[in-house]
Amino acid sequence: MKLAKIILLGALLISGSTTLAAVTRVGNGDNGKDLEGLTPITSGKISTSRERAIERLKTLHVEGVRGLGTLIQEVEKTTLYMADKDVPADGDKDSTHGDMRGYVYARTFAEPLAATRFFPMAQDLSSDQLVALQIHEGLHRAL
């Protein structure tokens, strides 16, 4: 009888602990200084790279790949913003996000349809690099 009570208590503690679980944000969506001074991007090199990224994803038929069904939508529907100034990576060592000096090209939150924030240094990237960056940021949201 005593063992049964201990097992029941343990089961209640385990099942009850899941109600305390919270949402965890992953990705590179720093919510600090990179959210200040944003201007919508509606034309130019970065906007054009989004259209090229969508075309490339469609030719790859990513919508048929398990887990990537929303990638085209994520790249297509994200709102693009340009930040006023470059920001340091703050521990983000991934070269896709930034340069060797430790500054970031772009960021997004790993949430469906989150905005993509580009930083001034992203304008120095080639057209192909911007296409790859658009897809990379879309992957954060799609996965």
Side-chain angles (χ1 to χ4, degrees):
M1 184 69 168
K2 193 172 189 175
L3 181 58
K5 286 182 182 180
I6 292 173
I7 292 172
L8 179 60
L9 181 59
L12 288 173
L13 287 173
I14 291 171
S15 66
S17 67
T18 58
T19 61
L20 301 176
V23 174
T24 302
R25 287 196 176 197
V26 294
N28 61 339
D30 183 356
N31 60 358
K33 58 189 164 277
D34 65 336
L35 294 176
E36 299 171 4
L38 299 176
T39 305
I41 298 172
T42 56
S43 63
K45 189 175 178 179
I46 293 174
S47 181
T48 303
S49 71
R50 178 198 352 223
E51 300 309 316
R52 287 190 54 225
I54 294 166
E55 289 172 20
R56 183 153 312 158
L57 291 170
K58 285 180 179 178
T59 62
L60 293 172
H61 302 287
V62 295
E63 66 278 357
V65 178
R66 186 174 180 197
L68 296 182
T70 62
L71 181 56
I72 292 173
Q73 176 183 330
E74 287 298 338
V75 173
E76 189 172 43
K77 301 210 183 277
T78 184
T79 305
L80 305 177
Y81 289 105
M82 178 58 70
D84 285 346
K85 60 183 178 178
D86 293 320
V87 296
D90 295 332
D92 184 3
K93 303 297 185 216
D94 183 351
S95 62
T96 307
H97 294 123
D99 73 345
M100 297 298 286
R101 295 170 292 172
Y103 287 89
V104 180
Y105 294 123
R107 280 196 171 131
T108 191
F109 288 109
E111 301 174 347
L113 303 177
T116 302
R117 288 125 35 221
F118 287 87
F119 299 93
M121 65 181 304
Q123 296 174 20
D124 296 335
L125 295 173
S126 72
S127 179
D128 286 339
Q129 289 172 317
L130 283 170
V131 167
L133 186 58
Q134 293 273 6
I135 293 170
H136 174 89
E137 296 302 322
L139 284 166
H140 280 294
R141 296 183 300 276
L143 299 176

